[in-house]
Amino acid sequence: MKKQLLVLLIAIFIGFGANAQTKSSETNVLVLIYSQNGGTYKMAKAIAEGVQEYPNTKATLKRVPSINPKEKLNADVEKLPVATIEELANYDGIAFGSPVHFANISADMNYFFNQSIPLWTSRTLEGKPATVFMSAGSGAGKEAAILSFWNILASHGMVIVPTGIMGTATLDKTVPQGNTPFGATSLAGSTGTRPSQSELNLAKEQGKALARVASGLKNTENIKSVKTTSAETKSDINKTLKDNNIVLPEAPKPVGNYVPFTISDHKVYINQVALKDGKILNPGKVGATVSEDQAKEATYQTMLNVIAVLKEACGGDLNKVKQCVQLTGYFNTTPEYTQHAGLMNSASNLTALVFGEKGKHARATIGAASLPINSAVEIQAIFEIE
């Protein structure tokens, strides 16, 4: 009887601790903008203010890099940290802000999302809530611009949060406004202070709405994880691959006097290059003949090859993997190239997606003057297996 009581008390304390941890988990929301003259930046600050008014929620304000590095930006905008496409995966919700350019988003924001192919193929942003706000000089095309942005977000499977009729009760109808049911906008070219107070109020409400959705989705996931037993949390790698439409290639065969992998003390050692269908994918030197997007695609393919070889090492059962210990990426780059880590994220994101917690690894990235058969990337991987 005493033993049963002790077990019950332990279970209660564990459950309390898990619930306390869930409640204390902070929701992180990114407010990401492109702004040249500062109008969108002012709206972004109101969005961030609304986000942080929601309990236990933090807002981070960043900007996308300018296509033209010599472009003169508003002084406050210039001070903002520059985001990378890979870090979008780290947030629980994202608010995107841009000026309206010909009934569309700015070229700078569009170029930023052109780098998101690895996030799209790995479904990294799927299920994350997102909202859009904009600033338009004449007011023309603002709704079309927001809807065009929605198309991008929908392609990533993000949960879109519109404004509807929120904030209309405090709307100052005596001045022109840029508001829409899709997202807050500023009529930047109108007279008077811009954004107007009504426009800022709506942006603030929009930030609160996004924080509410992001927090709700995050807490739902936390509750699921608390209630799930250890037996239930054991994932099936094959199901993960199928659910994420990841098709492993046939494991590349050695072309010399070596083996595709070795196993020592339950550690599997693998080296692979960007081979696809018998040919090197996007061969050449990054920073010269190979673009960053092509290099990321080659990195993703190389990691697929690593996992295919790993499957052979596990006797066809990837569920035998206990941990990804180390990934080292070698990149064929020009001497002045420095963005190796951004390229390697394509491999790290794929590994984390396939193996979950077991996919979290130590990592190194190294630039090389050349690589075998002119591959843009080579990955060395160490996994622990049962």
Side-chain angles (χ1 to χ4, degrees):
M1 182 68 180
K2 290 182 178 178
K3 184 176 181 181
Q4 291 175 334
L5 180 60
L6 178 61
V7 171
L8 178 61
L9 288 172
I10 292 173
I12 291 172
F13 281 122
I14 290 174
F16 177 82
N19 285 326
Q21 184 177 11
T22 298
K23 291 179 181 178
S24 64
S25 179
E26 189 174 55
T27 301
N28 291 300
V29 173
L30 174 65
V31 182
L32 182 63
I33 65 167
Y34 170 75
S35 180
Q36 183 176 6
N37 298 319
T40 307
Y41 168 69
K42 291 177 182 177
M43 296 285 284
K45 289 200 298 179
I47 291 276
E49 185 180 348
V51 167
Q52 299 205 142
E53 283 193 2
Y54 197 81
N56 208 27
T57 305
K58 175 185 176 183
T60 300
L61 182 55
K62 292 191 175 186
R63 65 180 175 93
V64 300
S66 299
I67 295 176
N68 179 8
K70 296 181 180 180
E71 182 179 46
K72 182 66 175 177
L73 298 177
N74 171 277
D76 292 325
V77 175
E78 183 72 38
K79 296 175 185 176
L80 291 177
V82 177
T84 63
I85 194 70
E86 293 82 13
E87 72 177 271
L88 300 190
N90 301 331
Y91 296 93
D92 302 306
I94 308 172
F96 297 98
S98 169
V100 177
H101 285 182
F102 302 106
N104 211 325
I105 62 175
S106 67
D108 304 77
M109 183 67 77
N110 191 56
Y111 179 77
F112 182 79
F113 264 96
N114 284 342
Q115 304 170 60
S116 66
I117 292 175
L119 297 182
W120 176 68
T121 55
S122 60
R123 298 168 67 178
T124 304
L125 301 180
E126 192 170 287
K128 288 184 183 291
T131 198
V132 178
F133 61 99
M134 306 197 83
S135 179
S138 66
K142 59 183 183 295
E143 293 187 344
I146 293 178
L147 293 176
S148 72
F149 208 154
W150 280 12
N151 291 335
I152 297 174
L153 304 181
S155 296
H156 279 279
M158 302 189 79
V159 177
I160 298 172
V161 180
T163 51
I165 60 171
M166 63 178 67
T168 54
T170 59
L171 189 67
D172 182 0
K173 297 182 175 63
T174 65
V175 297
Q177 306 291 341
N179 301 331
T180 79
F182 309 120
T185 66
S186 173
L187 193 58
S190 185
T191 57
T193 302
R194 292 291 157 174
S196 71
Q197 191 57 52
S198 291
E199 291 167 340
L200 293 174
N201 288 342
L202 180 55
K204 188 175 177 180
E205 291 299 318
Q206 187 174 357
K208 285 182 188 177
L210 176 63
R212 183 167 59 249
V213 175
S215 182
L217 290 174
K218 182 182 179 69
N219 289 335
T220 299
E221 291 303 314
N222 286 337
I223 291 169
K224 286 180 181 178
S225 65
V226 168
K227 291 184 177 180
T228 304
T229 65
S230 59
E232 291 171 330
T233 56
K234 187 175 182 180
S235 60
D236 180 4
I237 302 300
N238 296 318
K239 185 177 185 302
T240 300
L241 293 173
K242 182 178 179 181
D243 289 347
N244 290 281
N245 298 318
I246 299 173
V247 179
L248 296 181
E250 183 179 348
K253 304 302 180 185
V255 293
N257 189 20
Y258 62 92
V259 291
F261 63 87
T262 58
I263 301 177
S264 176
D265 192 24
H266 297 282
K267 301 290 194 307
V268 183
Y269 299 83
I270 303 169
N271 276 72
Q272 285 295 312
V273 293
L275 197 66
K276 182 178 183 180
D277 300 328
K279 297 180 181 179
I280 290 295
L281 178 65
N282 301 333
K285 191 174 290 291
V286 183
T289 59
V290 177
S291 69
E292 288 194 345
D293 285 343
Q294 289 175 320
K296 290 175 182 178
E297 184 183 17
T299 303
Y300 184 87
Q301 179 62 41
T302 304
M303 196 63 215
L304 282 178
N305 294 341
V306 168
I307 297 173
V309 173
L310 177 63
K311 185 174 181 179
E312 282 194 356
C314 293
D317 185 7
L318 285 171
N319 290 305
K320 291 182 179 180
V321 173
K322 295 179 67 176
Q323 186 68 48
C324 178
V325 179
Q326 169 85 32
L327 293 181
T328 302
Y330 299 86
F331 294 94
N332 183 5
T333 67
T334 56
E336 67 277 5
Y337 189 80
T338 60
Q339 303 304 310
H340 308 78
L343 304 180
M344 191 60 185
N345 285 340
S346 298
S348 293
N349 292 341
L350 176 60
T351 306
L353 177 65
V354 173
F355 298 104
E357 288 296 316
K358 297 177 182 179
K360 293 183 177 179
H361 51 273
R363 195 180 84 174
T365 53
I366 301 169
S370 65
L371 287 176
I373 48 181
N374 205 26
S375 180
V377 58
E378 180 173 354
I379 293 177
Q380 181 183 75
I382 304 174
F383 285 85
E384 182 182 2
I385 62 174
E386 295 176 357

